[in-house]
Amino acid sequence: MDAMTTLEIAGELGEAVRGLTRREYDALVETGVLEDEPVELLRGMVVTMAAKGVPHDMAVQWLNMWLARRLPDHLHVRVQSAWAATDDSEPEPDLAIVPARWSPPDGVRSHPQVAELVVEVAGSSLRRDLVVKAPIYAEASVPAYWIVDLGARQVVVHTDPVDGVFAAVSRHRADEVLMACGIEVPLADLFAFTFGEGA
């Protein structure tokens, strides 16, 4: 009999599998056992993050530069940092616009649980960002979630979270301008920088 994959084992065990809570995951991270491992917590599972290529890094760099220079003082850009989405998920979005001063409700210092905008830059991670992460961000009531689809050179915008689902999803081409926290974001400039065009 062939060896079963991790997903096949999880399917076979069904409800016998207990995932990690966000607090358990944070405690595990604090021990150093996951140090230098590119992982995030999604629905109770420790998941390896997709590899990042040059276009991915360039898109993140441009968005960080563009937004950080224009945001009001009460908002900050967090880049590839943990974000406390739900009790069982702590993704590390490529960018998140969060309050500059974050006060957790229980008084325990933690990663932010509020964001005005979350952005994932997607190459090979596109399906995961669309299918797995979108419901997580909707459940966390993120008002706007963008997926920068490098392959299609477009941005998929999710808004209006209701009961764990984004009620509005739209696709925007590279010749359009989006608004983020009152800031115009010209997608032509984003993609030109990302792919080294027009330099």
Side-chain angles (χ1 to χ4, degrees):
M1 185 172 177
D2 294 334
M4 296 175 73
T5 67
T6 303
L7 286 178
E8 289 170 336
I9 292 169
E12 183 69 26
L13 295 174
E15 293 182 9
V17 176
R18 183 184 84 77
L20 292 174
T21 67
R22 184 167 45 80
R23 291 194 184 277
E24 291 169 336
Y25 174 74
D26 286 344
L28 187 61
V29 169
E30 287 296 318
T31 68
V33 73
L34 297 175
E35 190 172 357
D36 298 326
E37 289 196 45
V39 295
E40 57 191 342
L41 183 70
L42 302 177
R43 297 299 188 205
M45 296 178 284
V46 179
V47 178
T48 302
M49 291 188 283
K52 302 165 186 170
V54 172
H56 177 281
D57 289 346
M58 298 304 283
V60 171
Q61 179 182 333
W62 188 90
L63 285 165
N64 178 36
M65 172 195 68
W66 187 265
L67 294 169
R69 290 177 178 174
R70 291 162 175 81
L71 283 174
D73 291 342
H74 70 279
L75 294 173
H76 282 180
V77 178
R78 283 173 61 94
V79 179
Q80 297 170 344
S81 297
W83 189 74
T86 64
D87 287 341
D88 67 354
S89 296
E90 190 173 281
E92 295 194 12
D94 288 310
L95 286 104
I97 297 180
V98 301
R101 296 187 181 275
W102 163 245
S103 299
D106 56 8
V108 178
R109 189 165 177 83
S110 69
H111 300 295
Q113 291 177 286
V114 175
E116 296 296 319
L117 170 69
V118 169
V119 180
E120 297 284 4
V121 177
S124 62
S125 68
L126 180 61
R127 180 168 172 76
R128 181 185 300 178
D129 294 334
L130 286 167
V131 176
V132 178
K133 289 190 174 181
I136 291 171
Y137 293 132
E139 187 178 323
S141 298
V142 173
Y145 168 46
W146 294 4
I147 300 173
V148 178
D149 181 348
L150 297 175
R153 296 199 187 198
Q154 64 182 5
V155 177
V156 184
V157 175
H158 299 71
T159 56
D160 304 323
V162 179
D163 297 328
V165 176
F166 285 106
V169 180
S170 55
R171 295 178 180 273
H172 300 268
R173 302 182 313 271
D175 60 353
E176 295 184 56
V177 175
L178 295 180
M179 295 295 293
C181 301
I183 300 167
E184 290 189 350
V185 181
L187 300 187
D189 292 353
L190 163 62
F191 287 113
F193 186 86
T194 297
F195 295 104
E197 299 166 351

